[in-house]
Amino acid sequence: MSLGESLIGSAAQLVREIFRFPHTMSLAPQTRHIAFIGNYLPRRCGIATFTADICEAVAAEFPGASCIAGAVNDRPEGYDYPSIVAFEIEQHDPGSYARAAEFLHINNVEVVSVQHEFGIYGGPAGSHLLVFLEALERPAVVTFHTVLQSPDVDQRRVVERLSQLAERFVVMAERGRDLLAGVYGIDPDRIDVIPHGTIDMPFVDSNFYKDVFDAEGRTVLLTFGLLSPNKGIETAIEALPAILAEHPEVLYLVVGATHPHLLAAEGERYRESLAALADRLGVSDAVVFHDRFVSIEELKEFIGGSDIYITPYRGEEQITSGTLSYAFGVGKAIISTPYWHAQELLRGERGILVPFADAPAIAAAVGDLLAHPTRMTAMRKRAWKEGRDMVWPVVARRYMESFDRARANLSEPSSAPTRERRTGETRYEVPPPKLEHLRRMSDHTGIFQHAVYSVPNYHEAYCTDDNARAFIYTVLHQERYGPDPELDRLASAYLAFLWYAFDANTQRFRNFMSHERRWLESKGSEDSHARALWAAGTALGRSDNEGFRNLSALLFQRGLGPVEHFSSPRAWAFALVAIHQYLRAFSGDRAVAGMRDILAARLLALHRANASPGWNWFERIATYDNAKLPHALIVSGRPEEVEVGLGALSWLLEHQTGDSGQFSPIGCHGFWTEGGEKARFDQQPVEAHATVSACMAAWDLTGDALWSDHALRCFEWFLGRNDLGLPLYDEGTGGCRDALLCDHINQNQGAESTLAFHLARVELERRLSPAPRPAPAS
């Protein structure tokens, strides 16, 4: 729209166009802090092995990442876990799950990989896991080790709730994705198919390993894994008489301990029944049980020394088998019953499928492979080549891609669960002023720059920037709510800091001061100098405290002159806002008005030099405190300056509005260069305040309620109406968290962010309640 249209009409129309053209762009995150949840070695089960394998594989493939694990205990004494297990969850204690989520928060975990199997978590169908995910404020990627085609009521309820709480899902077979989509209604775009990992071994002759378990000269059949009746090992034993009749050299190895839960329930009854069956069939000499949980090195030897791997499982609804994956990846000839995972993995002549519980079919398949060694070798090679995409380093990279997508997806309301989907529709009510954190962050010297969580950080002590902001806030608060002796005391400290920061010799403000009260530089940045002037001008224009006004007048008079020589556009803008405040009280000051004209002309010239169709901005890059540039022109007063300011602010709002109408400021992790991609994160509270302030200035000037509506919308960013649906303002402390990252919030509550919230709030108050009112107790 042309800027030559009428002043108010053009600006209002530009703003009304905002919601027609939402702009959201993603910046691929780089995940560095990952937690893995599930069972963990030395607990003996397949999930424990998988959790350990994937955790260690990601840690090895991404040495710059920090990986920790959370282990679920099924017994009070727990297990002797390795150091990578940082916390433990008691299976049947719901409170333990909530505490685990909080542990991850305070350890700055960025994404959580959850291993899902109904039986490993407490509650009906493992529903205690939902307690963990409901408390979790980080994206979760859930790996399904079982996907049921016909779930019962509890199982369906758990999976459907998981679909609301997790950002992404992993299955190890295409059938798993089809079931999650078809049976449970999960969007296939949120499901990654990543194969079960396998060990990386060369394609070698099995005879290389056979001496390790005294099998030289034997043809070795192998089944390994924790023993339980659903493994169908009795069917393989029943096939042995026919096999041995043709191939008396065959040896069947059954490797693995009895499943701990089965062992606890009935001891070794199942294993003993298998031994008794072999004895009745007269094949006990050809069956060897290795009754132990073998290490990965031992497993390599057993798999390497086998000729044919057999998985005679009884049930079709098995969506993944770690043992099948290991044998396949190593390049073994495989005979399997047609459960879902085997159907997919062994297709394309990469293995042989036999009917369930069919011993003659197993015997025939073994005989056929041994009678055709060339065919058997070709089958092995096909499996081994396919298995190169299943080795743990490759799988680790695939998981990291999923983690990155989960973090990116969390910031896309249209493609991932938002906070509203987790907790219901959110309403944003503007809270009353609460100043405990402001007081906590201040001492008799001034306000501390940074905090560690909500505790002042002495290592990076004070700066002029934040003391200027803090002084401005005390002036605006007391103008709004009336005198407050406690705020007067704080204001005195902040103003005293600014007075001490000004160096009469250089006519410049210093910025950074150590906790030992030593200046760390001879002069500060141009921006910090102009912010100090903004504070002085605000006191002169708005404060009733005569002492504050007198000292501010000295600072303003002495500090304004050097601004004429500044090159920073934002310093010009801060100075223009300072001058605007000053002229509220001293409108006849010709020298100050002259400086206003000089600086406004510079901003206007900058805009003319850089603005173009589609890029209505002052520079070729939009960086920080962006709305302060149009704000400065809006308050400068001359028609052309105001028109450009309103138009640029409208354009900025257009490009900082998300798909759902939420304020989505340019992130400082890359900013936004003309023709490039707008950085989505890290979003800073100062951007929300700057935009609220500029919109309120536009409202003051035009009277158009659309501007004050936008001010409210931008303020709601602090309360949770943002790209993550998470509040930055902490109602408990009265502080504001430091940044909105791509999938979580920086939990530190520094001065800049806290003051950004309170300044935005007190400025917005003019919209909410035009007449001043007493401040609530704080």
Side-chain angles (χ1 to χ4, degrees), residues 591-613:
V592 173
M595 180 67 79
R596 175 196 61 195
D597 294 343
I598 290 170
L599 298 178
R602 288 181 183 174
L603 271 183
L604 197 60
L606 194 68
H607 184 271
R608 288 173 183 153
N610 290 288
S612 61

Side-chain angles (χ1 to χ4, degrees), residues 139-220:
V141 177
V142 173
T143 298
F144 282 105
H145 293 259
T146 294
V147 182
L148 298 177
Q149 188 169 27
S150 302
D152 63 27
V153 172
D154 288 330
Q155 290 165 340
R156 177 179 289 277
R157 179 181 64 85
V158 167
V159 175
E160 289 178 347
R161 184 62 176 141
L162 285 174
S163 74
Q164 297 173 317
L165 295 172
E167 272 57 60
R168 296 198 71 79
F169 303 93
V170 174
V171 291
M172 302 181 202
E174 294 287 348
R175 182 63 177 267
R177 177 160 59 188
D178 294 344
L179 288 172
L180 287 180
V183 177
Y184 303 96
I186 297 177
D187 182 354
D189 288 341
R190 294 172 59 205
I191 305 169
D192 297 312
V193 180
I194 303 176
H196 192 295
T198 185
I199 49 181
D200 192 2
M201 290 180 64
F203 188 79
V204 298
D205 189 281
S206 61
N207 291 309
F208 182 80
Y209 291 98
K210 289 182 179 178
D211 62 311
V212 175
F213 41 88
D214 298 325
E216 299 99 321
R218 309 288 295 269
T219 297
V220 177

Side-chain angles (χ1 to χ4, degrees), residues 320-336:
T320 184
S321 167
T323 62
L324 176 67
S325 298
Y326 270 44
F328 182 88
V330 170
K332 294 289 109 177
I334 297 174
I335 298 170
S336 177

Side-chain angles (χ1 to χ4, degrees), residues 38-82:
N39 301 344
Y40 209 94
L41 297 175
R43 182 172 173 178
R44 295 182 175 184
C45 73
I47 300 293
T49 301
F50 182 89
T51 308
D53 285 342
I54 188 59
C55 179
E56 292 166 11
V58 170
E61 190 65 15
F62 298 92
S66 170
C67 297
I68 62 173
V72 180
N73 288 330
D74 62 345
R75 61 188 192 187
E77 66 273 23
Y79 297 87
D80 184 18
Y81 294 116

